[in-house]
Amino acid sequence: MLARVVEATIGVIIARLGTAGPEETSILDVRYTDGRYVDGDALPASERWVPRTVSAFLAEDPAKGERSLTAAEQFDTTLRAEILADALIWLDFVLDVDLPDRPDVTTV
């Protein structure tokens, strides 16, 4: 279930922002409403896991993303439930957040 929520979150981000082009890398920056960056290291483990895992897949490092998903299977039941709840909150957030229009793409 967790992998599906992560995949859905990635799918929404890509659908709304597009994928990185050649020689580019996607970076997931999260900010508070006042513009300050969210310090991922300061977040609780369950909240930190979601953006790091999604970022790994967006940065085209599927091995790192898969390791994160596999590691989550080994967490205790409470932490897994917290991660799943946080993953659903992140999915809801990316569905609702105002994002800029996709960049114009030049075609040849």
Side-chain angles (χ1 to χ4, degrees), residues 28-71:
L28 180 62
D29 279 334
V30 181
R31 297 180 188 215
Y32 293 102
T33 55
D34 65 5
R36 291 178 299 126
Y37 284 100
V38 173
D39 179 5
D41 293 331
L43 296 173
S46 63
E47 293 176 26
R48 186 174 52 238
W49 184 93
V50 178
R52 286 189 177 170
T53 303
V54 169
S55 293
F57 285 109
L58 288 174
E60 297 183 13
D61 190 351
K64 183 177 180 181
E66 290 296 333
R67 282 192 306 271
S68 185
L69 285 170
T70 300

Side-chain angles (χ1 to χ4, degrees), residues 7 9 11 14 19-20 26-27 34 37 43 64 67 71 74 78 81 84 93 95 98 102 104-105:
E7 289 172 9
T9 302
I14 289 173
T19 58
S26 293
I27 298 173
D34 65 5
Y37 284 100
L43 296 173
K64 183 177 180 181
R67 282 192 306 271
Q74 307 306 315
T78 302
L84 180 57
F93 172 76
L95 285 167
D98 289 330
R102 291 177 65 170
D104 293 333
V105 177

